[in-house]
Amino acid sequence: MSPFLLTRTLPEDATGADLRADVLHGLTRTPKELPPKWFYDARGSELFEEITRLPEYYPTRAEREILVHRADEIAAATGARTLVELGSGSSEKTRHLIDALLPGLTAYVPVDVSESALRGAAEALGAEHPDLHVHALVADFTRGLALPGTPGPRLVAFLGGTLGNLLPQERAAFLRSVRALLAPGDALLLGTDLVKDERTLVAAYDDEAGVTARFNKNVLAVLARELGAEVDPADFEHVAVWDREREWIEMRLRAREALTVKIRELDLAVQFEAGEELRTEVSAKFRQEGVRRELAAAGMELAHWWTDGEGRFALSLATAV
C-alpha cells in the first residue's frame, strides 16, 4: 500500500454554511440561481456517473480518448514528479496520466471537497502503485489553495471541463489562483469542452432517457434533506438551452405552475411564478484562441493543445510566463 496522508483545510461545517448562504442569496435574487456544486451528494454523483455513460454525453469519452493517446506526450513535456489534481473525485481518468508519468512521478495530490471520494481513490491507487506517495487535500480549490511540500516539477490537472461551470469573472480569479501555485518548470493541464453545433450540445444536457433531468432535480432533494425545503420535484421541469452569445449551456428548473417553496432552516418562503426558472448550471464551451487569451490574462502561456479525433474536447498544457 502506498504512503497516504490526508489534510483537511475545509472546516467540518463549511458545506452546510455554504449551502445556506448560496440558497439564501440565489433564491432571493432575480433571476434565481444555485451553483452546480450542490448537485453532487451521493445520489447526484451516482447520476452523474450514469450521465457519463450516455450516448449523448460525449465529453467524458472525448477527454479519455485524449488522455489515452497523449499521456506519454504530456509526461514528456512536463517531466512531472508531482501530480496535483483539482476536483479529483474518483481519480479514474487520472490513472492514464499517472501510468505515463511513472516511474519519475513520486507524489499525487488529489484535491476535493469529498473526503470519502479521496479515501476511496487513495485506496485504489495505493493498491496499484505501492511506491506512489498520496497526499490528499479536503479543500475547496475555488477559495485559494496551499499545496503540501512535494518535489517539482509539478503538473496541476483540472480535467472534465469543470472550468466551464465558472462564470467569466470566476474563471479569471481561479486561473490567477492556479498561476500563483506554479513555480518555474510547473505546468497546468486544463480540460475544456469546445464550441460545436447546438443540437449536439443540447442533447448532451437533455438526454432522451431523462437521466440529466433527474440529476438536475436532485438539487431539490438536497434542499429538502439539508434545509427542510418543502418542495416536490414533479412541480419543476428540466430545461437545457444554448446561449449563442455567451457560448454556454444553461441548465434550469422551470416551475410548471405558480408555487411556494418553504425552506424551514432559513425561515424562508420562495415564490415561483408559473414558468419561472431557476438556473442550476452554466457550462461554457471554448475555442482555442479564447483559452489562450484567458490563460495569458492569468499569466500563463498555452504550450500544447490536444483534441480528440472529432475535435469535440481539448486538453491544454500551459506554463507560467
Side-chain angles (χ1 to χ4, degrees), residues 39 198 201-207 210-217 220 233 235-243 248-256 275-283:
F39 290 135
E198 181 175 349
L201 286 165
V202 172
Y205 294 83
D206 192 11
D207 61 279
V211 181
T212 312
R214 294 195 292 277
F215 174 70
N216 194 7
K217 290 185 180 186
L220 302 176
D235 289 337
F236 292 85
E237 61 179 318
H238 165 70
V239 179
V241 295
W242 171 241
D243 186 321
W248 69 40
I249 286 280
E250 287 193 10
M251 289 210 315
R252 307 170 186 168
L253 291 171
R254 178 183 294 156
R256 298 182 186 274
E276 187 177 355
E277 295 176 339
L278 163 64
R279 187 172 75 183
T280 53
E281 182 177 80
V282 163
S283 185

Side-chain angles (χ1 to χ4, degrees), residues 116-168:
S116 61
L118 289 169
R119 289 191 179 278
E123 287 180 10
L125 286 168
E128 295 169 20
H129 305 292
D131 295 327
L132 182 65
H133 178 81
V134 179
H135 190 153
L137 297 182
V138 184
D140 183 348
F141 57 78
T142 64
R143 295 181 172 183
L145 192 64
L147 294 176
T150 54
R154 294 182 298 188
L155 175 61
V156 178
F158 190 44
L159 304 175
T162 309
L163 184 73
N165 294 144
L166 304 177
L167 296 173

Side-chain angles (χ1 to χ4, degrees), residues 172-283:
F174 168 75
L175 290 172
R176 288 194 301 269
S177 72
V178 171
R179 169 61 185 87
L181 297 174
L182 302 182
D186 293 348
L188 166 67
L189 184 67
L190 181 65
T192 49
D193 196 8
L194 302 180
V195 174
K196 56 187 66 65
D197 68 282
E198 181 175 349
R199 182 178 179 182
T200 298
L201 286 165
V202 172
Y205 294 83
D206 192 11
D207 61 279
E208 191 172 327
V211 181
T212 312
R214 294 195 292 277
F215 174 70
N216 194 7
K217 290 185 180 186
N218 187 64
V219 74
L220 302 176
V222 171
L223 299 187
R225 184 183 65 249
E226 300 297 331
L227 299 179
E230 299 174 11
V231 59
D232 185 349
D235 289 337
F236 292 85
E237 61 179 318
H238 165 70
V239 179
V241 295
W242 171 241
D243 186 321
R244 293 183 183 87
E245 181 180 345
R246 296 183 176 92
E247 294 192 325
W248 69 40
I249 286 280
E250 287 193 10
M251 289 210 315
R252 307 170 186 168
L253 291 171
R254 178 183 294 156
R256 298 182 186 274
E257 57 186 27
L259 55 92
T260 301
V261 176
K262 295 180 180 179
I263 304 176
R264 291 196 306 272
E265 290 292 320
L266 298 177
D267 193 23
L268 181 66
V270 181
Q271 307 292 332
F272 282 85
E273 300 297 329
E276 187 177 355
E277 295 176 339
L278 163 64
R279 187 172 75 183
T280 53
E281 182 177 80
V282 163
S283 185

